[in-house]
């Protein structure tokens, strides 16, 4: 009888030893699945923003951000709701055609918070007195996101600008006058900024340039956001 009790106790201990890791593995698997699901939803959200903006689907564009969410780009810094309204006016003016091309976002998830970073090419076709030009800007969007009421939305987006270029569309070469005064703008987006100024839009004072102190601070803010600080 004593040997039976000892054998039973050993069996219970063995089952317990295997049960705990199994539960831990299940929790780990569930967390991994939740994280992957979140990343898929966030990647779709990031891509949809560009699609909705380019297609002028304003109501759907508004739904990508939480109410009170903010966006900081070359020409605008403030509430996303205000950005949508300003974008409507720019679109209605018919002065430029806009296209966003996104890469695959790098996403970090921590519970109900996430940080996404994605490469974006911003292409603008605009008319100038000397002809039609294409301006191409290379940048990154850094998004701080939060899941509320079961849905991921962007709380804050900041664009970081790397470089840009300008090309003629309906003329053999760009006129020398186009390159005058470019040194007043940051090198990372001088052609975009000059094109904006010709259209009556000023460069935002909060614009973030690649490898700048502002970009370093932004990464620190994103890390703090993910940590819930």
């Amino acid at each position: 009888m004593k040997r039976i009790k000892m054998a039973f106790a050993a069996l219970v201990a063995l089952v317990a030893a295997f049960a705990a890791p199994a539960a831990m593995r299940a929790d780990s698997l569930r967390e991994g699945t939740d994280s992957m699901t979140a990343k898929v939803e966030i990647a779709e959200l990031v891509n949809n923003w560009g699609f909705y903006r380019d297609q002028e689907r304003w109501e759907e564009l508004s739904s990508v951000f939480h109410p009170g969410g903010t966006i900081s780009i070359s020409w605008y810094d403030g509430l996303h709701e205000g950005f949508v309204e300003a974008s409507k006016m720019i679109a209605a003016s018919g002065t430029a055609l806009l296209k966003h091309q996104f890469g695959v976002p790098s996403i970090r998830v921590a519970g109900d918070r996430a940080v996404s970073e994605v490469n974006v090419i911003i292409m603008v076709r605009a008319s100038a007195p000397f002809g039609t030009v294409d301006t191409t800007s290379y940048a990154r969007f850094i998004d701080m996101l939060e899941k509320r009421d079961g849905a991921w939305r962007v709380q804050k987006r900041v664009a970081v600008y790397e470089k840009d270029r300008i090309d003629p569309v309906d003329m053999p070469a760009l006129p020398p006058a186009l390159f005058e005064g470019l040194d007043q703008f940051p090198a990372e987006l001088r052609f975009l900024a000059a094109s904006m100024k010709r259209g009556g839009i000023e460069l935002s004072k909060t614009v973030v340039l690649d490898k700048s102190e502002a970009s370093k601070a932004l990464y620190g803010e994103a890390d703090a956001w993910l940590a819930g600080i």
Side-chain angles (χ1 to χ4, degrees), residues 153-166:
R153 296 288 184 270
V154 179
Q155 181 61 35
K156 181 174 183 175
R157 163 170 289 179
V158 180
V160 179
Y161 292 87
E162 301 170 355
K163 64 177 183 178
D164 71 345
R165 61 175 292 137
I166 191 167

Side-chain angles (χ1 to χ4, degrees), residues 12-28:
V12 170
L14 184 64
V15 169
F18 277 99
M24 291 172 63
R25 288 196 298 272
D27 289 342
S28 178

Side-chain angles (χ1 to χ4, degrees), residues 22-42:
M24 291 172 63
R25 288 196 298 272
D27 289 342
S28 178
L29 180 61
R30 183 167 55 253
E31 289 175 5
T33 301
D34 291 345
S35 178
M36 184 57 66
T37 299
K39 289 182 178 181
V40 170
E41 293 176 0
I42 291 168

Side-chain angles (χ1 to χ4, degrees), residues 18-65:
F18 277 99
M24 291 172 63
R25 288 196 298 272
D27 289 342
S28 178
L29 180 61
R30 183 167 55 253
E31 289 175 5
T33 301
D34 291 345
S35 178
M36 184 57 66
T37 299
K39 289 182 178 181
V40 170
E41 293 176 0
I42 291 168
E44 182 178 22
L45 194 71
V46 169
N47 182 71
N48 281 347
W49 183 92
F51 184 76
Y52 296 151
R53 170 59 189 88
D54 296 344
Q55 297 298 315
E56 300 178 10
R57 293 163 60 171
W58 308 121
E59 186 174 343
E60 290 162 298
L61 179 65
S62 298
S63 71
V64 174
F65 276 58

Side-chain angles (χ1 to χ4, degrees), residues 16-136:
F18 277 99
M24 291 172 63
R25 288 196 298 272
D27 289 342
S28 178
L29 180 61
R30 183 167 55 253
E31 289 175 5
T33 301
D34 291 345
S35 178
M36 184 57 66
T37 299
K39 289 182 178 181
V40 170
E41 293 176 0
I42 291 168
E44 182 178 22
L45 194 71
V46 169
N47 182 71
N48 281 347
W49 183 92
F51 184 76
Y52 296 151
R53 170 59 189 88
D54 296 344
Q55 297 298 315
E56 300 178 10
R57 293 163 60 171
W58 308 121
E59 186 174 343
E60 290 162 298
L61 179 65
S62 298
S63 71
V64 174
F65 276 58
H66 283 301
T70 62
I71 181 169
S72 181
I73 55 173
S74 62
W75 60 276
Y76 183 88
D77 179 33
L79 294 175
H80 189 253
E81 293 91 336
F83 166 81
V84 174
E85 292 305 313
S87 296
K88 286 181 183 180
M89 291 189 288
I90 292 174
S93 70
T95 56
L97 295 175
L98 185 63
K99 183 73 173 179
H100 293 81
Q101 182 176 320
F102 286 95
V104 178
S106 174
I107 301 168
R108 294 180 290 156
V109 179
D112 289 338
R113 287 193 171 189
V115 171
S116 169
E117 182 172 0
V118 65
N119 290 321
V120 57
I121 302 174
I122 308 165
M123 295 164 281
V124 182
R125 174 163 293 186
S127 297
F130 44 78
T132 302
V133 295
D134 280 345
T135 302
T136 307

Side-chain angles (χ1 to χ4, degrees), residues 1 39 75 85 127-128 134 145 147 185 187 196-197 207:
M1 179 63 71
K39 289 182 178 181
W75 60 276
E85 292 305 313
S127 297
D134 280 345
L145 307 99
K147 187 176 184 179
F185 304 112
M196 286 164 41
K197 187 169 185 178
V207 67

